[in-house]
Amino acid sequence: MAERKVGTVVHWQNLSSILSIFRLMPEDGSPFPDYKAGQYIALRREDCRLTKRVVGEDGKPHYVPDEDEARNRKVGPVTHSYSISSAPFETTRGRHLEFYVVLEAGECNEPGRLTESLFRIHPGEDDKVGYVNRIVGDFTLDKRTAGARSVVFVGTGTGLAPFAGMIKQLDFEAAQGRRGDVRYTVFHANRSRVELAYHEELQAIEAAGRIDFVYVPSVSRPTAQDRDDPRLGTGRASNVMRHVFGMPLKEEEEMRRAEGGPEAAAAAAALEKAVRPTLPRHVSASDLQARCNPAETVILTCGNPLAMADIKHVADTNHIRYEKEDW
Ligand SMILES: Cc1cc2nc3c(=O)[nH]c(=O)nc-3n(C[C@H](O)[C@H](O)[C@H](O)COP(=O)(O)OP(=O)(O)OC[C@H]3O[C@@H](n4cnc5c(N)ncnc54)[C@H](O)[C@@H]3O)c2cc1C
C-alpha cells in the first residue's frame, strides 16, 4: 500500500468564496511521484466536521451532522481524490502539485466535509494536508485520445483541472520542439469570469500558437461587462456545445417534451431563465464544428454529472467519440 504523507500548502488563491486554486509541497525530502497530466491523488485533512447517514421520511439516505452525546460536532479525517491541475513540468520545476477546488455545497446548508476544512487553510498557519503518496488514473491523453486528430475538452467548473494540466504540458513540450499534429479545443464554463481558472494562461497559450489550440471560455451568469468582453462567451458548457452543433438548447428540448403536461410551467420557467449561448468573437460555430470532424475527434469531459450527461448526448447525436472522468 502507498505510504501516507503530510504536505504543506504554500499558496492559496481564492477565485471566489467557493472556488480556489492551491499549491501543495510534498513532505520534506520526498518529491511527489512522477505523473501524467490528467491523473489524480488522494488528499486528506484530519479536522473535518463529520456527518452520518440517516434514512429520511422519504425513505432516501441523507447525511446530517454527526454529534456526540453532549451535542458537540464530531471531527475526524476525510480523504478524497483530486485531479491535479498543474502540468508535470511545473511539478518538476517547483516541486508542488496544484489543485482547482470548489467548496462542496452539501445537504442541510452544511458544506462538504473535506472541502470545508480545505477552505480554512491559511499558508504559514493552518497549512497541512495529508496525501497518499501515489498518483493514479487513466484519464490521460495516451489512454483516452489515441488515434484522434482532434481533441475537444469540455470542463464544467473545476472539471477544467485535468485539462489545464494537459494543455500546459502540451504547450511546454511544443516549446521544446515536441509538437504533434493534433488539434486541441478547450470549452470551459463557470458561473462568473473570476471563477474561470487559468483563463489568462490558456489565452496566452492560444495566442502563442505553439500548439493548434482554441480556447472557448463562457460564463453562465454573465454581467453586462462580460457580455461586452469579446474574448468571453456566455451560457453553460453543454448549451455552448449544442450551439456549436446547431442543436436546440437543453431547456428548449425539455420544454418540448413537457408541453401539455404537469411539468410544462417549470420547463417554461427554466427556458425563460436560460442564458443563451454565445461564443467568444474570435471563433465561430462553423469554425469550431470544422475542428470536430466526427471521424477523427474525441470529446473528453469532466465536472458536473448532469452537464456531462448532456455533453454525451451532444457527442452521441453528432457521432463523436466520448470519454469522461467520473468524480
Ligand atoms: C478522480 C476524482 C477527481 C476529483 N477531482 C476534483 C477536483 O479537481 N476538484 C474538486 O473540487 N473536486 C474533485 N473531486 C471531488 C472530490 O473528490 C470530493 O468529492 C469533493 O471535493 C467533495 O468533498 P467533501 O468532503 O467536501 O464533500 P462530502 O462531505 O464528501 O459531501 C459530498 C457528498 O457526499 C455525500 N456524503 C456526505 N457525508 C457523507 C458520509 N459521511 N459518507 C458518505 N457520503 C457522504 C453527500 O451526498 C454529499 O452531497 C474529484 C473526485 C474524483 C473521484
Side-chain angles (χ1 to χ4, degrees):
M1 224 171 86
E3 238 182 313
R4 280 223 310 259
K5 292 186 178 278
V6 178
T8 305
V9 173
V10 291
H11 171 84
W12 182 280
Q13 182 195 357
N14 284 325
L15 305 176
S16 70
S17 58
I18 59 158
L19 277 155
S20 295
I21 288 176
F22 71 93
R23 286 185 181 168
L24 181 68
M25 294 297 273
E27 192 169 289
D28 280 351
S30 128
F32 286 116
D34 288 343
Y35 67 98
K36 289 193 172 150
Q39 292 192 297
Y40 62 87
I41 189 168
L43 302 181
R44 166 184 169 117
R45 290 266 288 174
E46 302 298 324
D47 64 346
C48 301
R49 294 153 62 84
L50 300 179
T51 52
K52 67 177 177 192
R53 185 178 189 271
V54 294
V55 177
E57 283 172 11
D58 55 4
K60 292 182 185 156
H62 296 280
Y63 294 94
V64 297
D66 194 6
E67 295 173 339
D68 63 18
E69 288 90 38
R71 306 214 60 191
N72 294 316
R73 185 66 180 266
K74 288 190 187 171
V75 168
V78 174
T79 306
H80 282 312
S81 300
Y82 289 88
S83 296
I84 297 167
S85 59
S86 43
F89 83 90
E90 293 176 306
T91 305
T92 306
R93 272 186 193 165
R95 295 178 52 234
H96 61 268
L97 295 179
E98 191 162 288
F99 301 95
Y100 177 25
V101 290
V102 61
L103 177 62
E104 180 81 15
E107 294 181 58
C108 328
N109 293 325
E110 274 287 313
R113 294 162 298 163
L114 177 54
T115 48
E116 188 276 332
S117 172
L118 286 172
F119 274 71
R120 274 189 266 126
I121 284 175
H122 281 286
E125 293 169 31
D126 174 3
D127 57 8
K128 297 298 173 210
V129 172
Y131 61 94
V132 178
N133 197 28
R134 189 174 46 150
I135 297 180
V136 293
D138 69 353
F139 198 61
T140 56
L141 287 173
D142 54 350
K143 293 273 168 42
R144 302 299 187 104
T145 72
R149 297 283 313 278
S150 173
V151 177
V152 177
F153 303 111
V154 190
T156 63
T158 54
L160 178 77
F163 308 139
M166 289 174 190
I167 291 294
K168 287 186 282 180
Q169 185 68 21
L170 286 163
D171 177 64
F172 170 77
E173 288 172 7
Q176 311 267 300
R178 285 175 284 152
R179 183 193 156 119
D181 58 357
V182 176
R183 297 186 292 279
Y184 296 96
T185 310
V186 165
F187 290 84
H188 183 207
N190 220 325
R191 293 176 317 171
S192 65
R193 161 68 191 82
V194 291
E195 292 176 320
L196 287 172
Y198 304 104
H199 183 66
E200 282 79 15
E201 236 170 314
L202 293 174
Q203 276 186 336
I205 291 174
E206 182 185 46
R210 287 181 286 265
I211 54 175
D212 182 342
F213 173 52
V214 174
Y215 169 52
V216 188
S218 67
V219 289
S220 58
R221 296 185 192 170
T223 61
Q225 200 183 351
D226 295 336
R227 289 189 188 279
D228 285 345
D229 183 344
R231 309 290 300 188
L232 209 54
T234 59
R236 287 187 287 108
S238 66
N239 275 338
V240 174
M241 294 295 290
R242 283 168 170 269
H243 173 63
V244 166
F245 288 99
M247 295 169 64
L249 300 191
K250 181 164 191 262
E251 291 81 358
E252 286 170 338
E253 257 182 35
E254 283 168 354
M255 179 68 221
R256 209 165 299 150
R257 268 200 298 274
E259 243 156 16
E263 305 296 331
L271 178 55
E272 175 78 26
K273 261 179 59 190
V275 170
R276 300 276 147 184
T278 61
L279 295 167
R281 314 274 208 271
H282 71 296
V283 286
S284 69
S286 56
D287 288 347
L288 289 169
Q289 220 183 97
R291 291 176 72 79
C292 304
N293 171 0
E296 50 186 28
T297 300
V298 57
I299 294 179
L300 265 62
T301 182
C302 181
N304 173 296
L306 283 177
M308 292 203 300
D310 199 43
I311 290 155
K312 178 171 188 334
H313 173 67
V314 174
D316 291 348
T317 305
N318 293 283
H319 311 288
I320 299 176
R321 197 173 126 203
Y322 169 88
E323 300 277 344
K324 70 171 168 141
E325 175 71 316
D326 273 317
W327 281 7

